[in-house]
Amino acid sequence: FDIVEYGLKQNDAAIFSADESGPYRNSILTVACTRMLVIPSLIVAPWLLKRMSSKSVQMIGFVGCIIFNFLLAVAYKDIKKMTILFDALYIFQLSFQSLPGVSTMAISAEIYPSAVKGTGAAISAASGKLGATFGSYYFTQLKNQGHISQIFWTVTF
């Protein structure tokens, strides 16, 4: 999960850039706007967690991420030209990321005894840091080589 989250978020500005010659400022503004539009999903995620099982919330999040990243991967070159559609799909993808994010710690709190939770949380955090490092490095390499659609393929599978 951290591979997807950190890998995509670190390269947002490049993903949203119109082209190599376009002003980078516009990409940064687009990233800021998309992040603000995701705030409602960050409010809905804990609300869903109180009404559904953690496993269900996490699965909805993973499936939503897969669907929207798949759409972005398959039609990146065509959708990229339709700014509003591309931004909307990316916002939905970011919104679905909040569901696994909010349920990850809740699942371990529900199923493991207290003595195991701390160790499990530490191992999970360390694994997440490794994934974040890998995703940030690998996706930046793909971005630098101009393979933005490959980023979406990678996070889809």
Side-chain angles (χ1 to χ4, degrees), residues 8-150:
L8 284 175
K9 289 180 179 173
Q10 181 176 341
N11 293 292
D12 276 351
I15 290 170
F16 285 112
S17 67
D19 57 30
E20 296 294 321
S21 63
Y24 200 66
R25 178 185 72 232
N26 293 347
S27 298
I28 300 299
L29 289 172
T30 304
V31 170
C33 289
T34 57
R35 294 288 168 78
M36 284 189 263
L37 290 169
V38 172
I39 290 173
S41 70
L42 297 172
I43 295 168
V44 169
W47 179 82
L48 275 177
L49 199 55
K50 288 183 176 184
R51 284 153 182 74
M52 299 172 71
S53 71
S54 300
K55 188 175 181 179
S56 297
V57 171
Q58 194 165 46
M59 289 308 297
I60 290 168
F62 285 138
V63 170
C65 284
I66 289 169
I67 290 168
F68 286 103
N69 282 315
F70 180 76
L71 291 172
L72 289 165
V74 168
Y76 175 77
K77 292 188 192 292
D78 296 326
I79 293 175
K80 184 72 172 109
K81 298 171 189 167
M82 298 176 251
T83 305
I84 294 173
L85 177 61
F86 178 80
D87 291 355
L89 289 173
Y90 197 81
I91 289 167
F92 282 125
Q93 179 272 139
L94 282 176
S95 296
F96 276 103
Q97 277 187 31
S98 66
L99 297 178
V102 77
S103 63
T104 299
M105 293 300 172
I107 290 175
S108 62
E110 292 173 353
I111 61 175
Y112 293 112
S114 296
V116 178
K117 289 179 196 174
T119 303
I123 292 169
S124 176
S127 299
K129 301 301 182 267
L130 289 173
T133 301
F134 172 78
S136 297
Y137 175 78
Y138 180 67
F139 291 169
T140 300
Q141 295 301 317
L142 287 174
K143 174 202 62 139
N144 291 342
Q145 295 171 8
H147 301 297
I148 302 291
S149 65
Q150 286 300 117

